[in-house]
Amino acid sequence: MGTASIADVNLDEKYGPFINGEVGEPANGYIDAINAANGKLLAKIGRGGQEDVDRAVKAANAAFKDWSNTLIEERSALLHKIADTLEANQERLKMIECMDTGRAIHEFDLDYQLAVYQFRYFASAILTYEGTSRPVQNGHLITKKEPLGVCAQIIPWNVPMIMTAFKLAPALAAGNTLVLKPAEDACLSIMEFAKLLADILPKGVVNVVPGYGTEAGQALIDHPNVHKLAFTGSVEVGRLVGKTAGERILPVTLELGGKAPHIVFPDVDIDRAVENATLGYTFFNGESCILGTRLLIHDDIYDEFIEKLIARAKEIKIGDPTDRSTRLASLINEKQGKRVLGYFDIARKEGAKILYGGNRVTVPGNEHGYFIEPTIIEAEPHMRIAQEEIFGPAATVTRWRDVDEVIEMANDVEYGLAAGIMTEDLEKALDTANKLEAGSVWINSYFNFQSGAPFGGYKNSGVGREYSQEALDHYTQSKTIVAAYQLPPAGFFK
Ligand code: NDP
């Protein structure tokens, strides 16, 4: 199937919360969902609040008993069915997500592949997620994994379907029910996906309440009848979610920001390294926590590398998101656009040098959107532009001469989500990887995501791991049962 056309997407006029298998009316009215690039109204989405969250949590609690008792073979089959359905409907959903987020349509091939793989991975992983059993003196010891209950899951706007799959797949596989709060800026594909789930899952197993974070999101994390909090987004809101979990003694997983170093050793093929680096800082419009936005380049090749990096940046096609040849498109909204441009001003004031880019570009027919040039900034490692998450298509470039020095530079940030290394010397690469404070290190191939590879952050990048068997640990708790064959003899305690 080829790319869906805009005419094919056929959106509903409005999307209320999806609760107990049905789309209903939100208690607090609707919010406009806008095409990020051209500003046109796409649809209206429910402004979820306390009342909707209450209904959703009630539905999820009611569904929990049956769902958690469903045979794992059956849950596995249903997850495969979700993957098949997502695959069959992907072209339309990709186009919806493209218009909603402003990201280039071609990128969604990867997003949807990862999302489908997630459902398939957990459909299989749950079948081998076994407890243990062994004889002990006069009896038997059993350890088993039990689901937690209702999971409150909150996700951001940058990669809606990847985030949905990361949250839903392990939680459902483990036997939990859930309430998902997507970001109000990009949730139309998720609302459409929820309608497809209504034909696959029992009522109440998955509920989706769209709306503002401060309303629907806050009501969800504060709800007394949820049993686990899972959040992806900024460190600021992540702290709040973590604090709530602490006060309520709830298990929590947090996937927060990133500012990944991408280290270039002098032995690389420069053309190949430039290509990998360019993908690493511009994909997702730069709106991702995993991007390699701090390029640390060895002094011996620095000048040639920068020259080629700039030449490559000049070739990147900025254009209409729905055009398959576009490589950089619109940021999510004006707030994000101004935030990114604001960071370039900060960089200039700090004395960093913008070597290329730094400007907003107008794309005819899409004047509403914030299209930003790929931007290369020469910066000192301590500068804010090299320390803080920008979430736009920009990378800092910094020279290094000594391996210990570059490892120190790479680690000297509050984040630790991902890192990249480019070298032909595998020994050097692995030795460096071992010393980096990052949850994922990609050698010679930036964001090389593989199912089953734990994904999550060190330091302020978060708590917990997704995308892997470990995620099942985060959505279950262990129960130990020790069974003695007989009661002890009478009087044994005298
Ligand atoms: P937020 O952390 O504010 O948003 C993430 C999610 O949390 C959204 O669904 C949001 O709702 C929700 N939320 C916001 N406030 C609350 C709250 N009080 N209680 C519960 N949920 C809440 O990120 P932003 O969208 O504001 O982006 C700001 C910056 O964060 C970005 O520039 C980027 O640096 C970083 N970020 C990191 C991401 C990552 O993947 N690690 C993803 C997105 C952003 P809603 O937006 O609908 O109001």
Side-chain angles (χ1 to χ4, degrees):
M1 197 178 169
T3 305
S5 77
I6 298 171
D8 292 334
V9 300
N10 217 1
L11 286 163
D12 293 348
E13 199 183 312
K14 50 188 192 171
Y15 293 85
F18 177 80
I19 298 173
N20 213 24
E22 283 168 18
V23 178
E25 279 298 313
N28 301 334
Y30 287 90
I31 310 167
D32 288 347
I34 298 294
N35 181 314
N38 64 25
K40 289 186 186 155
L41 180 73
L42 290 169
K44 288 187 174 288
I45 51 154
R47 181 176 169 176
Q50 179 75 54
E51 225 173 278
D52 307 292
V53 166
D54 249 355
R55 284 199 300 122
V57 172
K58 220 171 259 161
N61 268 303
F64 177 68
K65 191 167 168 216
D66 283 351
W67 180 249
S68 58
N69 284 318
T70 308
L71 288 177
I72 54 167
E73 287 81 358
E74 205 177 311
R75 286 209 298 268
S76 166
L78 289 172
L79 285 174
H80 276 301
K81 205 164 168 194
I82 294 174
D84 293 343
T85 304
L86 187 55
E87 214 163 27
N89 289 276
Q90 62 179 319
E91 296 309 325
R92 175 170 175 260
L93 294 173
K94 283 177 193 172
M95 184 52 83
I96 293 173
E97 212 163 303
C98 162
M99 297 194 296
D100 213 8
T101 59
R103 285 176 45 216
I105 186 72
H106 92 101
E107 292 189 346
F108 292 98
D109 294 345
L110 178 66
D111 286 44
Y112 276 69
Q113 186 188 60
L114 288 176
V116 167
Y117 283 179
Q118 270 295 275
F119 286 107
R120 292 209 196 293
Y121 175 79
F122 284 104
S124 302
I126 196 62
L127 296 177
T128 56
Y129 193 60
E130 290 146 350
T132 61
S133 169
R134 70 178 167 90
V136 291
Q137 194 178 19
N138 188 37
H140 218 88
L141 164 69
I142 300 162
T143 61
K144 58 187 289 239
K145 294 285 191 179
E146 294 188 347
L148 299 167
V150 176
C151 304
Q153 303 184 318
I154 297 182
I155 57 170
W157 41 260
N158 54 344
V159 285
M161 198 53 76
I162 296 182
M163 285 295 117
T164 302
F166 269 38
K167 294 286 178 279
L168 262 59
L172 293 176
N176 301 280
T177 57
L178 60 96
V179 180
L180 178 76
K181 206 299 280 177
E184 94 273 359
D185 277 316
C187 64
L188 291 175
S189 55
I190 301 169
M191 301 317 294
E192 281 288 338
F193 180 53
K195 291 197 299 181
L196 298 169
L197 293 180
D199 294 332
I200 303 172
L201 295 171
K203 284 181 194 304
V205 170
V206 169
N207 306 275
V208 185
V209 180
Y212 294 118
T214 47
E215 297 176 359
Q218 190 74 50
L220 183 57
I221 60 171
D222 286 342
H223 201 286
N225 298 329
V226 300
H227 309 101
K228 145 107 192 172
L229 307 182
F231 172 82
T232 299
S234 63
V235 175
E236 189 190 351
V237 180
R239 280 209 172 93
L240 214 138
V241 176
K243 201 169 157 202
T244 305
E247 277 160 6
R248 308 249 322 274
I249 320 290
L250 290 180
V252 63
T253 36
L254 304 171
E255 201 272 273
L256 310 176
K259 188 78 181 175
H262 201 173
I263 302 172
V264 191
F265 279 84
D267 62 2
V268 291
D269 174 316
I270 295 187
D271 292 319
R272 288 182 179 206
V274 162
E275 194 65 18
N276 192 35
T278 302
L279 173 91
Y281 84 91
T282 60
F283 207 78
F284 306 115
N285 272 339
E287 295 168 302
S288 167
C289 46
I290 60 171
L291 294 179
T293 52
R294 282 188 300 144
L295 285 165
L296 306 174
I297 305 148
H298 194 273
D299 191 42
D300 287 355
I301 56 162
Y302 186 86
D303 293 334
E304 187 184 349
F305 190 94
I306 296 296
E307 195 183 309
K308 290 186 165 170
L309 191 70
I310 292 172
R312 186 66 189 87
K314 286 180 182 165
E315 287 172 1
I316 293 177
K317 183 177 170 190
I318 304 173
D320 189 309
T322 62
D323 178 343
R324 269 223 159 248
S325 63
T326 293
R327 287 296 174 269
L328 263 187
S330 170
L331 298 185
I332 186 78
N333 56 26
E334 186 183 6
K335 183 177 155 209
Q336 191 62 22
K338 288 192 166 157
R339 180 187 143 102
V340 171
L341 293 171
Y343 264 110
F344 299 159
D345 289 339
I346 292 170
R348 290 184 191 98
K349 280 186 200 135
E350 282 181 307
K353 204 161 143 200
I354 299 199
L355 301 178
Y356 181 74
N359 302 301
R360 182 180 177 187
V361 175
T362 305
V363 172
N366 294 292
E367 287 75 8
H368 174 88
Y370 271 76
F371 295 79
I372 308 283
E373 289 173 319
T375 300
I376 299 161
I377 307 159
E378 195 170 49
E380 295 295 325
H382 65 270
M383 292 177 173
R384 280 185 67 192
I385 194 74
Q387 289 283 326
E388 297 176 19
E389 194 173 46
I390 301 171
F391 243 55
T396 58
V397 290
T398 304
R399 254 177 230 272
W400 61 274
R401 288 169 194 86
D402 170 80
V403 183
D404 291 336
E405 175 199 13
V406 78
I407 290 167
E408 207 180 304
M409 245 186 240
N411 289 335
D412 189 21
V413 276
E414 66 168 300
Y415 299 109
L417 189 60
I421 297 168
M422 289 191 262
T423 172
E424 288 179 8
D425 182 336
L426 203 52
E427 186 182 349
K428 215 185 292 172
L430 289 173
D431 185 49
T432 306
N434 284 331
K435 292 171 181 160
L436 292 178
E437 295 163 358
S440 296
V441 182
W442 292 298
I443 297 168
N444 293 328
S445 176
Y446 207 76
F447 52 78
N448 192 350
F449 268 106
Q450 299 296 332
S451 297
F455 175 71
Y458 281 35
K459 305 192 281 190
N460 282 358
S461 289
V463 177
R465 295 292 180 270
E466 299 188 293
Y467 209 51
S468 59
Q469 194 97 10
E470 269 188 60
L472 293 174
D473 296 337
H474 296 309
Y475 282 102
T476 52
Q477 52 193 336
S478 298
K479 178 174 281 176
T480 298
I481 302 173
V482 186
Y485 294 139
Q486 302 99 17
L487 282 167
F492 87 107
F493 192 50
K494 274 187 190 156

